[in-house]
Amino acid sequence: LFAMRFHTPTSLLLLSAASWAAPVAATADGPDYFAVTGVAENDVLNMRAGPSALAEKIGEIDHDARRLQNLGCQGLPSFGEWEKMTEQQRLESRKHYWCKVGVQGAEGWVAGRFLREDGD
């Protein structure tokens, strides 16, 4: 379905450690799995060590990847906050959240604006 490319020795250590971790159950806060969206065919989605564009890049996920396990997101407004926002504020808030995903035994953070629910 997709390829995962790692860039640092730290990434390989994360991959090894992740294979020993117990499965993580999805919560009511979102879907069980994501698919990548909004990434050009000739580009990749960067996976990072932390929830920030400044965090170390630990891998790349193909533009059309599916079945990324949802390990939780941060930076999203609560439903109450979202209800009070204007449409412009809602769109702007999408630029600032990050989701931790599991991919091929590795875990890392990706910008949430490039994810959609994967229903398969």
Side-chain angles (χ1 to χ4, degrees), residues 1-4 61-68 104 118 120:
L1 295 174
F2 57 88
M4 180 75 185
I61 303 172
D62 283 348
H63 75 280
D64 58 352
R66 301 194 58 197
R67 303 290 293 172
L68 284 71
Q104 295 182 346
D118 191 353
D120 289 346

Side-chain angles (χ1 to χ4, degrees), residues 32 40-41 47 63 78 81 93 97 101 110:
D32 292 337
E41 261 187 62
M47 180 184 277
H63 75 280
S78 69
E81 292 168 332
S93 73
Y97 77 97
V101 297
V110 298

